[in-house]
Amino acid sequence: MAYAPNAPELAVEALRTERPDAFAPAPQFATTFLRFRVNQPPFDDIETRRAFAAAIDPEALAVALGEVRTAAWHLVPPSTPEWEPPPVPPWRWQQDRLTTAQEKNRWEYLYNSSELNRSVAEVLQAQWRAALGVEVALTNQEWKSFLAAQRGLEYQVSRSSWIGDYLDPISFLEIFQSDAGNNRTGWKDKVFDKLIDQARGEPQAEVRRLFLYEAERRLLDQAVIVPLYHEVSLELIDPRIEGLHRNLRGYVDWGRLRWKPEADT
Amino acid sequence: MSALLRRLIALAITLWAVHLTTFLLLRAAKGGPFDEARSLPPEVEVQLRAEFHLDDPLLQQYLRALVGALRGDFGPSLRYREVRVTEILGDALPVSLGLGLGALVLALLLGIPAGLYAALAQRGPVDGLIRALATLLLSVPNFVIAGLAIAWFSFGLGWFPPAGGHGLSSFVLPCICLALPTAAQLTRLSRSAALEVIDGEGPRAALARGLEPNQVRSQHVLKPALAPILAFLGPTSAALLTGSLVIEQVFALPGLGTHFVQAALNRDYTLAVGITVCYTALLGALTLLADWAMSRVDPRVEALSG
């Protein structure tokens, strides 16, 4: 077998250290993040959301996941062309404790069942326990049930991800406009909506970029989402093959794959 | 009313009940066929739901599905929207049947001779070896056997492809992995069935009447021992022939099992109903066939041949 598109999650760490010749994870134009349901307690309170967000250390998470994925501090991937991300909100480094009343709350994290998502959930659970002293219950659902729950806002905080449709920040940001079908947080923010609309109507690239920069800053500062990591492709390829090129959207130009000349092997 | 007719009517009622239950259970599950990571634009979703009649009253949807099923048409797949469920069944069923048939033949060829041999060599070292092997094969899940088989025979020795349904060679490992646990069951069953007969009065009486030991073995041991094996074979062959979800997944064979799991996960209502009904029909037909064979071997069983 010369090529396998998805290495098993449990083998990632071993592959990275032992078979770097056959395992070349490539960054994807995708971000995995948390969504808070912001229109109902407990996460209608911005300070609670910020406390939960500040408790998360994406760098430690990336290490725990086998060091192939890059830690994310932003929704828009750093690989986006001609894009300068806004600063990470300063409160991410100020860990607030919860009130005693809040500590007694029932906290629940929802994710769709998968090996990777389970590991992520357990790391988050540990980080929240360490920083906030709360025990967050982990609930997993099969894909379609999960989607229905997320869409119907039947969750507190849930695992999410987004793959950009095209190489532009707006492809990530516009999903959080108030009336967007993929918002799925209950977040309605006039400032954010206007920034996205302005970006859409702005012909000057430099000005447009400023609107999007402000939009992402707003989204992160309001702690509607918490970026976790940027996804990578986990391909295995026979080291005797050369010419594997994949663009950011994940498409491989199969025509360029070649067996290396015999002398090299 | 003949026994056969009664059984056919019962099968028809079973099929209807399975059709209804599957239909309702799928509708009761959360999420729909068009829920995806990125929501469809609302107007597109409305169009799709209308096209597939998903907004009609449930009763009307059910009657449409039932009438279609009676005509042998389960409608279009909700996932692969250009393809009808019957086309998918037509593609996948031969793969599953081929895999199951191969495994069944292999299990019979391995299991019954091993069991009978063990019974005749009762409590000897060969008997012990056969029994230990059968217990081992029964205890190890077949996905473990499959994993080891792929590691050794595909990647180690390079004899067979590790996955995919192209050509006969890609069916060898799946057939063996599917057959081994059944072969082990058959070994144990045929051994104990033969022992029960050997220890009984039949063979002793036959020997007392002066029959040759070989004649006693074939006529007074093997034939009566066959009855419980046949009874076991009905449901077992049905289970094997309807494919193996696990083995098909491990070896990436495009059989019914893979579609079955995916259809449920995708909320592909029509495909899931179609496959379930197809499974039920196969199971019913094969059980009926096994019972008919039973009635030929064991006169105590009600005759189905009328």
Side-chain angles (χ1 to χ4, degrees):
Chain A
M1 194 153 59
Y3 175 84
N6 295 304
E9 202 54 50
L10 287 171
V12 161
E13 192 147 15
L15 285 168
R16 186 178 58 82
T17 50
E18 289 161 28
R19 291 304 304 271
D21 56 330
F23 181 56
Q28 291 186 320
F29 196 53
T31 307
T32 297
F33 57 95
L34 299 184
R35 274 182 165 96
F36 288 114
R37 183 190 176 174
V38 303
N39 64 356
Q40 207 184 47
F43 289 117
D44 55 342
D45 172 39
I46 187 170
E47 292 311 322
T48 311
R49 294 202 298 272
R50 283 180 172 171
F52 270 74
I56 293 171
D57 178 357
E59 307 291 346
L61 175 67
V63 170
L65 296 180
E67 295 184 60
V68 287
R69 300 172 176 87
T70 42
W73 294 92
H74 295 90
L75 176 65
V76 179
S79 51
T80 312
E82 293 166 40
W83 173 247
E84 189 64 44
V88 174
W91 50 258
R92 281 295 295 263
W93 286 278
Q94 298 158 5
Q95 184 57 60
D96 285 328
R97 302 295 295 188
L98 297 174
T99 62
T100 335
Q102 279 179 315
E103 277 175 15
K104 293 200 182 95
N105 235 326
R106 190 183 179 280
W107 306 96
E108 187 183 21
Y109 171 71
L110 178 71
Y111 64 100
N112 58 300
S113 318
S114 90
E115 229 172 89
L116 172 64
N117 293 347
R118 169 148 200 93
S119 307
V120 172
E122 284 167 355
V123 172
L124 293 177
Q125 189 184 43
Q127 291 185 348
W128 282 324
R129 188 188 298 130
L132 301 170
V134 293
E135 201 54 44
V136 178
L138 306 181
T139 304
N140 71 92
Q141 288 181 351
E142 145 299 326
W143 182 232
K144 291 278 185 174
S145 307
F146 169 81
L147 287 175
Q150 200 177 62
R151 207 175 169 181
L153 298 179
E154 298 159 20
Y155 70 94
Q156 289 186 346
V157 48
S158 91
R159 185 238 166 234
S160 304
S161 62
W162 191 256
I163 305 173
D165 293 306
Y166 43 94
L167 299 181
D168 192 284
I170 202 167
S171 175
F172 280 85
L173 294 169
E174 66 182 1
I175 65 174
F176 291 103
Q177 275 197 304
S178 300
D179 53 358
N182 291 303
N183 179 309
R184 300 178 184 182
T185 56
W187 188 57
K188 292 183 191 301
D189 188 73
K190 290 208 176 72
V191 178
F192 182 85
D193 287 355
K194 188 158 180 232
L195 285 167
I196 298 291
D197 285 339
Q198 282 172 315
R200 281 212 187 94
E202 179 55 56
Q204 287 210 34
E206 198 51 46
V207 184
R208 178 177 177 274
R209 198 152 62 221
L210 273 176
F211 285 132
L212 294 174
Y213 175 98
E214 281 305 322
E216 177 162 39
R217 184 149 91 171
R218 174 96 187 149
L219 180 72
L220 295 175
D221 187 58
Q222 292 293 302
V224 182
I225 62 158
V226 191
L228 296 178
Y229 58 83
H230 297 294
E231 191 50 276
V232 289
S233 61
L234 297 177
E235 285 146 309
L236 293 174
I237 185 151
D238 191 316
R240 289 167 298 176
I241 292 175
E242 62 184 2
L244 177 68
H245 294 283
R246 143 185 310 282
N247 71 11
L248 269 175
R249 285 279 291 118
Y251 297 113
V252 174
D253 184 355
W254 299 108
R256 286 162 74 179
L257 295 186
R258 296 274 182 278
W259 290 104
K260 286 179 189 167
E262 283 293 326
D264 292 351
T265 56
Chain B
M1 199 176 354
S2 84
L4 184 64
L5 191 60
R6 264 206 320 272
R7 291 288 299 269
L8 284 174
I9 291 171
L11 181 57
I13 295 173
T14 309
L15 280 172
W16 170 74
V18 165
H19 183 261
L20 176 65
T21 316
T22 316
F23 181 90
L24 290 177
L25 280 176
L26 280 163
R27 299 304 162 117
K30 260 173 86 176
F34 308 127
D35 279 330
E36 285 304 334
R38 60 194 62 215
S39 305
L40 292 169
E43 57 277 13
V44 174
E45 190 165 342
V46 167
Q47 279 275 310
L48 276 171
R49 294 189 68 84
E51 187 184 337
F52 293 103
H53 308 285
L54 291 177
D55 293 322
D56 294 354
L58 198 62
L59 181 68
Q60 204 175 322
Q61 288 185 49
Y62 176 68
L63 289 178
R64 185 191 305 278
L66 185 64
V67 170
L70 287 174
R71 289 207 205 106
D73 178 14
F74 296 98
S77 158
L78 299 181
R79 174 78 175 188
Y80 317 101
R81 287 159 212 152
E82 307 298 312
V83 189
R84 298 203 80 75
V85 170
T86 38
E87 292 174 59
I88 295 177
L89 291 178
D91 285 342
L93 197 57
V95 175
S96 291
L97 283 178
L99 170 63
L101 198 64
L104 181 64
V105 170
L106 199 60
L108 286 172
L109 288 180
L110 288 175
I112 295 181
L116 294 179
Y117 190 82
L120 294 176
Q122 197 187 348
R123 291 189 238 295
V126 180
D127 180 30
L129 188 71
I130 289 177
R131 276 195 297 162
L133 201 61
T135 309
L136 183 73
L137 286 175
L138 269 179
S139 337
V140 183
N142 63 2
F143 54 85
V144 175
I145 301 180
L148 292 174
I150 292 176
W152 291 335
F153 297 107
S154 296
F155 293 122
L157 297 166
W159 289 355
F160 305 107
H166 305 291
L168 275 181
S169 64
S170 58
F171 279 85
V172 175
L173 288 182
C175 275
I176 294 174
C177 295
L178 189 56
L180 284 179
T182 308
Q185 266 175 308
L186 273 172
T187 304
R188 291 168 62 97
L189 189 75
S190 48
R191 178 181 175 276
S192 62
L195 280 183
E196 206 171 300
V197 180
I198 289 174
D199 293 341
E201 291 163 356
R204 217 179 323 147
L207 281 173
R209 289 201 299 275
L211 287 170
E212 289 294 315
N214 268 337
Q215 218 176 341
V216 175
R217 271 184 205 142
S218 68
Q219 281 304 307
H220 297 265
V221 175
L222 291 189
K223 207 176 160 198
L226 220 56
I229 299 173
L230 268 179
F232 167 81
L233 270 183
T236 303
S237 53
L240 285 180
L241 287 174
T242 45
S244 159
L245 317 186
V246 176
I247 292 293
E248 282 178 20
Q249 288 277 344
V250 172
F251 289 97
L253 287 176
L256 267 193
T258 308
H259 281 300
F260 187 50
V261 175
Q262 283 307 320
L265 292 180
N266 290 334
R267 303 289 189 275
D268 192 339
Y269 301 141
T270 45
L271 182 57
V273 168
I275 295 179
T276 315
V277 170
C278 179
Y279 271 149
T280 315
L282 268 175
L283 194 71
L286 290 166
T287 314
L288 203 58
L289 196 68
D291 287 353
W292 172 80
M294 271 289 283
S295 73
R296 309 284 295 182
V297 174
D298 189 341
R300 287 168 298 183
V301 176
E302 184 184 22
L304 283 178
S305 43

